[in-house]
Amino acid sequence: MNKYLALFIAVITGTELQAIQLAPRLVVNITIDQLRTDYLEAFTPLYNASGFRKLMKDGRVYDVASYPFSPVDNASAVSTVATGTTPYYHGIIGKRWLDRGTLRPIFCVDDPTHFASPHRLMTSTVGDELKVSTHGTAIVWSVAASKESAILSAGHAADGVLWIDTEKTRWRTSTYYSATQPEWFKLNSSVTREIAKNKQLTNDEVVDMSLKVVKGSAMGSDEVSDMLTVTLSAANPDGTTTDWQTEMESVYLQLDNSLGRLITGIEQAVGRERVLFVVTSTGYTDEQDGDLSQYRIPTGTFYINRTANLLNMFLSAIYGQGRYVETCYANQMYLNHKLVEQKRINMSELLQRSQDFLVQNAGIADVYTSERLLAGNNDILKLRKGFSPSLSGDIIIEVAPGWRLLNEDTNESFTSRSGYVPFPIIFFGAGTPSGRIQTPVTTDRIAPTIAKSIRIRAPNACSTEPLF
């Protein structure tokens, strides 16, 4: 009897040890800018065996993914994937926003001390938590074509980040992470001007550098989990698409080849069963619309700076002369809080009057004040999660679909489009069971899923549960 009991205990113990040992040695978190499921699936017969076809066949694929906030761009998207929360908490509401103190636009990772850093990212990332949990012994790197993708994906505690400086056509990093570079990396590593300006050619450069990072820093070589974040692009180089079947076919086949090289190279270095790949999209498209009027589609131009001047005249008639709207940026209006305080005007009343006035203007679908967003009603919850009380404007204009917003003072211009962009979340390797899941999921659940797989805490503002 004791003999069988001992055997049973040995089997259980062995199983437990195996489970502990199966924590991935390396997590490769890949975000593909503007990846779309419809394009991805359209070219499936043309893919090679090591890229998208491998991921879709052998991976755990969540077919219906989305971001839990709006609006989405590259900077806010990669920040949410890394932190497991929304701009309301992590603070990256976009690539640029207006500095209330100077009334000038600021770039999300610009830093006068280190040139670029994550100091505006207000929460921890998965990479940060991995560093904390391993007392700094885990290796964390990030590689991307753009500095915002590289830095915001990595977080605050990474060993290093690398991006392509398109002006100087070379790889660049930030002294925020380290004043000196490892021997395997030469800071003046150059790329040709053609590659630096072409999003599809830069994918190959990003893959080459990622493989160099894995090899040079010996990632995945011990039992302490390491992490590499990589950002690739599925965007058309010129930002327009006139014939998607011919133009996007080339984009996706090149991307598939780059992705296949990355997966194969890392699997050979670390082993398929010890590396976890996570792939998703930034969840938006940056395509430009032509002249909609020639197709008799309702359209028009909404002049936000002119409208702000009219709003100032309206408020002056009520509260007395003054410049109540200080400035506009993108689709947001920033109020003069000092003037409102000096005149002892009730801010709630002023915002309500402004909303009532603005919503009557042609080209406006809706108007969201800061108070309305902070109320957080379910019908506008996604907008609230993409809003920051300290960074965003006091009044946000939703331009009618098909209408063009134009600021004649700054020459900012964009056309409103509310279309759904389908994209997946894919987990592959490290023993992850394959399958296709149709249940809708959000990208803020990626971070806690990675954290669970490597037995660490989720980032400090992440309140969502793991996907599995």
Side-chain angles (χ1 to χ4, degrees):
M1 191 70 174
N2 290 337
K3 176 181 177 181
Y4 291 111
L5 181 59
L7 179 61
F8 176 75
I9 292 173
V11 170
I12 295 297
T13 303
T15 303
E16 291 175 348
L17 287 173
Q18 185 180 26
I20 294 172
Q21 292 168 356
L22 284 178
R25 288 179 178 170
L26 176 62
V27 175
V28 183
N29 198 4
I30 305 168
T31 304
I32 303 177
D33 189 36
Q34 302 185 55
L35 178 73
R36 297 176 52 137
T37 298
D38 47 358
Y39 292 161
L40 172 62
E41 293 182 341
F43 309 118
T44 297
L46 305 177
Y47 296 145
N48 61 52
S50 59
F52 283 124
R53 182 177 295 182
K54 184 176 187 176
L55 291 174
M56 300 300 283
K57 177 177 178 290
D58 298 329
R60 184 178 183 87
V61 183
Y62 292 84
D63 284 309
V64 188
S66 65
Y67 279 82
F69 65 92
S70 178
V72 181
D73 71 357
N74 182 61
S76 59
V78 297
S79 298
T80 289
V81 171
T83 64
T85 191
T86 60
Y88 187 85
Y89 292 104
H90 65 57
I92 305 300
I93 58 175
K95 283 188 180 181
R96 295 177 177 83
W97 58 83
L98 201 71
D99 184 298
R100 284 183 177 272
T102 64
L103 296 182
R104 292 180 178 274
I106 56 175
F107 194 77
C108 58
V109 294
D110 280 355
D111 184 334
T113 303
H114 301 285
F115 175 70
S117 80
H119 72 287
R120 292 190 178 94
L121 184 66
M122 303 309 295
T123 65
S124 68
T125 65
V126 179
D128 293 337
E129 295 294 341
L130 180 57
K131 276 289 190 181
V132 171
S133 68
T134 61
H135 305 287
T137 59
I139 303 169
V140 178
W141 276 84
S142 180
V143 185
S146 68
K147 61 183 178 182
E148 69 272 16
S149 296
I151 290 170
L152 297 172
S153 295
H156 308 85
D159 293 279
V161 303
L162 297 168
W163 71 87
I164 296 175
D165 185 327
T166 57
E167 297 302 320
K168 298 182 178 180
T169 62
R170 63 180 174 86
W171 283 96
R172 187 161 186 173
T173 188
S174 169
T175 55
Y176 171 89
Y177 295 98
S178 176
T180 59
Q181 295 303 317
E183 293 183 3
W184 54 263
F185 175 71
K186 295 181 179 178
L187 187 58
N188 61 353
S189 298
S190 62
V191 296
T192 67
R193 185 162 297 278
E194 178 186 12
I195 287 175
K197 298 295 184 181
N198 188 309
K199 292 181 180 179
Q200 294 310 304
L201 295 179
T202 58
N203 281 339
D204 280 329
E205 288 293 312
V206 169
V207 168
D208 289 343
M209 183 55 74
S210 298
L211 294 174
K212 187 175 182 180
V213 168
V214 171
K215 181 180 179 181
S217 58
M219 300 185 86
S221 61
D222 57 25
E223 295 306 314
V224 177
S225 297
D226 300 321
M227 187 167 186
L228 172 69
T229 62
V230 181
T231 307
L232 301 175
S233 175
N236 203 353
D238 63 3
T240 61
T241 303
T242 54
D243 184 347
W244 72 267
Q245 192 160 358
T246 56
E247 295 174 31
M248 299 312 295
E249 177 181 316
S250 173
V251 169
Y252 274 72
L253 292 186
Q254 289 184 45
L255 173 60
D256 178 59
N257 182 65
S258 300
L259 187 61
R261 287 200 308 109
L262 178 64
I263 293 171
T264 301
I266 292 178
E267 283 186 337
Q268 290 175 349
V270 181
R272 175 176 176 177
E273 293 305 315
R274 301 307 304 273
V275 56
L276 174 65
F277 293 93
V278 185
V279 181
T280 195
S281 168
T282 53
Y284 74 100
T285 56
D286 208 14
E287 298 174 354
Q288 299 177 3
D289 287 312
D291 181 8
L292 299 179
S293 61
Q294 66 177 311
Y295 302 103
R296 294 180 289 188
I297 298 173
T299 186
T301 300
F302 170 71
Y303 298 92
I304 191 168
N305 58 314
R306 296 184 191 179
T307 306
N309 291 336
L310 290 173
L311 178 58
N312 272 325
M313 293 171 63
F314 171 75
L315 295 174
S316 293
I318 299 172
Y319 300 113
Q321 287 298 315
R323 187 175 180 82
Y324 295 90
V325 180
E326 279 196 295
T327 191
C328 299
Y329 185 74
N331 64 331
Q332 303 182 32
M333 295 183 179
Y334 290 76
L335 298 180
N336 187 334
H337 286 229
K338 289 184 178 180
L339 177 63
V340 173
E341 290 176 7
Q342 288 170 0
K343 288 180 172 284
R344 297 182 178 179
I345 300 170
N346 182 289
M347 179 62 83
S348 297
E349 178 188 290
L350 186 147
L351 287 171
Q352 187 61 56
R353 287 183 181 275
S354 298
Q355 179 179 324
D356 294 341
F357 173 81
L358 291 169
V359 80
Q360 299 178 54
N361 286 264
I364 293 182
D366 208 341
V367 177
Y368 303 94
T369 65
S370 55
E371 288 200 348
R372 183 182 174 193
L373 289 169
L374 287 172
N377 296 327
N378 288 336
D379 60 328
I380 58 171
L381 196 55
K382 288 188 72 171
L383 283 169
R384 191 257 195 189
K385 290 180 177 180
F387 169 82
S388 169
S390 62
L391 303 175
S392 301
D394 301 284
I395 300 171
I396 299 176
I397 307 294
E398 181 183 350
V399 182
W403 277 63
R404 174 181 174 233
L405 180 146
L406 174 63
N407 188 328
E408 294 172 302
D409 295 333
T410 62
N411 291 321
E412 293 176 278
S413 175
F414 69 87
T415 301
S416 177
R417 175 180 287 273
S418 303
Y420 168 68
V421 177
F423 67 92
I425 298 173
I426 306 171
F427 292 84
F428 171 77
T432 303
S434 62
R436 301 289 288 264
I437 297 94
Q438 298 297 321
T439 305
V441 296
T442 50
T443 53
D444 53 343
R445 296 178 67 185
I446 293 174
T449 307
I450 293 174
K452 180 183 175 183
S453 75
I454 53 179
R455 283 69 160 168
I456 65 170
R457 298 178 307 180
N460 59 15
C462 176
S463 60
T464 54
E465 62 183 9
L467 288 165
F468 61 91

